[in-house]
Amino acid sequence: EVKILAWNFPNNEGLEKWIEQKGLYPITILSSVRPALRDTLFNKGIYIVSELAQFTPKVLVQKTGLPMNIAQKVIGEARVLTE
């Protein structure tokens, strides 16, 4: 048996509902994550907003080499979404 899973299929059980229920939002949902920042975070294995929200700005700067103001902004945005 093969089960199909898509954004809105099966009805009320698709990827959209699953992501919302589990809070597994990709970092690309954040408005401050532009392509270059996305690539930097992806290259360090950071894909999910809840993962990003757990970092302190200082640790994110050390891990990624981002400027402190960018780290603060993206972490702040991630924390707002995960509250």
Side-chain angles (χ1 to χ4, degrees):
E1 179 177 318
V2 176
K3 289 191 173 202
I4 297 174
L5 181 63
W7 190 251
N8 286 314
F9 183 85
N11 198 19
N12 291 321
E13 296 178 32
L15 284 173
E16 180 181 25
K17 288 287 184 189
W18 189 73
I19 288 169
E20 287 179 11
Q21 289 172 350
K22 304 287 184 187
L24 298 174
Y25 301 105
I27 60 167
T28 55
I29 199 170
L30 302 174
S31 63
S32 60
V33 176
R34 304 277 190 246
L37 178 53
R38 177 203 62 212
D39 293 346
T40 298
L41 295 172
F42 280 4
N43 286 335
K44 297 300 179 179
I46 304 167
Y47 305 101
I48 306 295
V49 172
S50 58
E51 293 173 329
L52 183 60
Q54 294 177 5
F55 283 95
T56 64
K58 182 178 179 180
V59 171
L60 188 62
V61 166
Q62 291 170 342
K63 184 173 178 81
T64 63
L66 292 172
M68 180 60 78
N69 64 324
I70 300 296
Q72 290 170 328
K73 182 176 182 179
V74 73
I75 289 171
E77 192 176 347
R79 289 180 178 166
V80 166
L81 186 61
T82 59
E83 290 179 345

